[in-house]
Amino acid sequence: MTCAFIVLTHMGPENLARLSSRLDPHEVHVHVDSKLGKSEFDAFVSKTARLPNVSFVARHRSAWASWGLVAAAMEGLKAAMKSSAWSHVMLLSGQDYPLMSAEEMRLFFDAHRELSFVAHWRLPTSLWGKDGGMRRVRYWHQPMLGKRVFIPIPRRHPADIAPVGGPMYWCLNREAATALLEFFETRQEVVNFYRHVWIPDELFVPTAVMNGPCSQQVAGEALTYIRWSNPGSAHPDMLTLEDGPKLLAAAAHGSGVGGHARRKLFARKINYVRDRALLDFLDQAAI
């Protein structure tokens, strides 16, 4: 079985084409931020026109920390569900790149059909400050002009749901993906609540999955290699050619960088123009 990939992007049509070509024959469902105009969007379509594995989904404004990132991922999930060819669906960004061949990736997913991969932690957690991240769900939030705006009046959390956090990037098997989409479409009161948590892309999917019927089949692993040299930074490190051997080792034997995983399938962030040499190295040396 293949995997379906959902790619959220807002820059670099050439990046998308190179990434999608490396993933062929796996499906690639692309969300392009609606802040981009028609001519900019058309460039993504044009650059991938010859790739049969690429399709585009309905667009949302998907600014940092906004609900639009969740909405974009759900559009990709709905599109993926129209195909029966895949065993897993995985969320990526446009600055990710595979650490293994498409065939090796297929073998990985075939060997783990019963598992989903979602790094996660129950709230409160020491990973998210002195209140354990509860402030993120307790108060109404809305990002405005890249800043955090909130109303300091406590809200009542949905009673039957335990809040769970985790990285934005996840990988679900077919059963868990089906359950997530059903949760999204039927639990409107939870969706409405999580529209206004702080950074909902780090809360909604982990919460929905870990409160769902497939939670016992979730491995708390992060399949993407993301390095944060400065934990207080808003952005992870940009990876360069010097990181190439470490990335290949992570693909072969696993790594704890960016969260433990038995194997790392992707790396981010990579500047596709400045660090083209890293991409070439990964293409030539990937398993």
Side-chain angles (χ1 to χ4, degrees), residues 2-32:
T2 59
C3 183
F5 293 99
I6 302 166
V7 179
L8 309 187
T9 188
H10 65 279
M11 58 188 293
E14 297 84 0
N15 303 3
L16 176 65
R18 182 164 184 169
L19 170 63
S20 300
S21 179
R22 284 281 284 122
L23 291 175
D24 189 34
H26 302 287
E27 300 174 21
V28 179
H29 301 279
V30 182
H31 177 274
V32 178

Side-chain angles (χ1 to χ4, degrees), residues 114-116 120 122 209-219:
E114 78 286 2
L115 286 180
S116 295
H120 62 276
R122 301 279 178 177
V209 171
M210 297 311 298
N211 284 273
C214 303
S215 61
Q216 295 303 308
Q217 287 74 49
V218 174

Side-chain angles (χ1 to χ4, degrees), residues 31-269:
H31 177 274
V32 178
D33 193 328
S34 66
K35 74 177 180 181
L36 273 64
K38 183 179 184 303
S39 62
E40 295 170 298
F41 174 72
D42 287 346
F44 285 93
V45 176
S46 176
K47 287 293 182 181
T48 57
R50 296 184 180 181
L51 298 175
N53 61 325
V54 175
S55 66
F56 290 84
V57 305
R59 301 166 65 196
H60 296 264
R61 180 70 174 89
S62 48
W64 172 77
S66 73
W67 175 257
L69 289 166
V70 178
M74 293 302 102
E75 291 289 356
L77 186 55
K78 286 187 283 186
M81 281 296 180
K82 296 176 182 178
S83 167
S84 61
W86 52 268
S87 64
H88 290 74
V89 58
M90 186 170 180
L91 186 66
L92 304 174
S93 84
Q95 289 184 291
D96 293 1
Y97 206 69
L99 299 178
M100 59 183 65
S101 69
E103 173 61 13
E104 184 69 15
M105 213 168 285
R106 183 191 67 79
L107 293 173
F108 176 87
F109 288 120
D110 276 353
H112 299 95
R113 290 197 187 194
E114 78 286 2
L115 286 180
S116 295
F117 298 88
V118 184
H120 62 276
W121 38 83
R122 301 279 178 177
L123 300 188
T125 171
S126 60
L127 296 170
W128 280 358
K130 60 184 179 181
D131 75 337
M134 294 304 296
R135 181 188 185 95
R136 294 174 62 162
V137 298
R138 184 175 293 126
Y139 303 121
W140 184 99
H141 286 85
Q142 182 71 34
M144 293 184 182
L145 301 176
K147 299 194 179 291
R148 175 179 184 168
V149 176
F150 73 99
I151 298 175
I153 300 175
R155 300 188 298 162
R156 180 175 297 176
H157 193 275
D160 62 330
I161 299 294
V164 182
M168 176 180 176
Y169 303 101
W170 40 261
C171 178
L172 303 177
N173 69 5
R174 188 100 198 183
E175 184 180 4
T178 300
L180 170 60
L181 189 56
E182 181 179 0
F183 187 100
F184 177 73
E185 293 177 339
T186 62
R187 295 299 305 270
Q188 195 59 50
E189 79 285 7
V190 181
V191 169
N192 289 339
F193 183 93
Y194 274 79
R195 282 179 182 273
H196 295 290
V197 297
W198 181 237
I199 315 183
D201 53 278
E202 295 182 350
L203 286 159
F204 177 73
V205 169
T207 296
V209 171
M210 297 311 298
N211 284 273
C214 303
S215 61
Q216 295 303 308
Q217 287 74 49
V218 174
E221 300 180 28
L223 299 182
T224 301
Y225 184 107
I226 308 175
R227 188 180 65 222
W228 297 82
S229 293
N230 180 3
S233 173
H235 305 286
D237 297 350
M238 299 299 293
L239 302 174
T240 69
L241 181 58
E242 292 182 356
D243 297 303
K246 293 179 182 178
L247 296 178
L248 292 182
H253 309 296
S255 172
V257 178
H260 166 74
R262 65 196 69 193
R263 296 182 72 181
K264 295 289 187 178
L265 276 60
F266 289 85
R268 79 178 307 266
K269 278 183 156 183

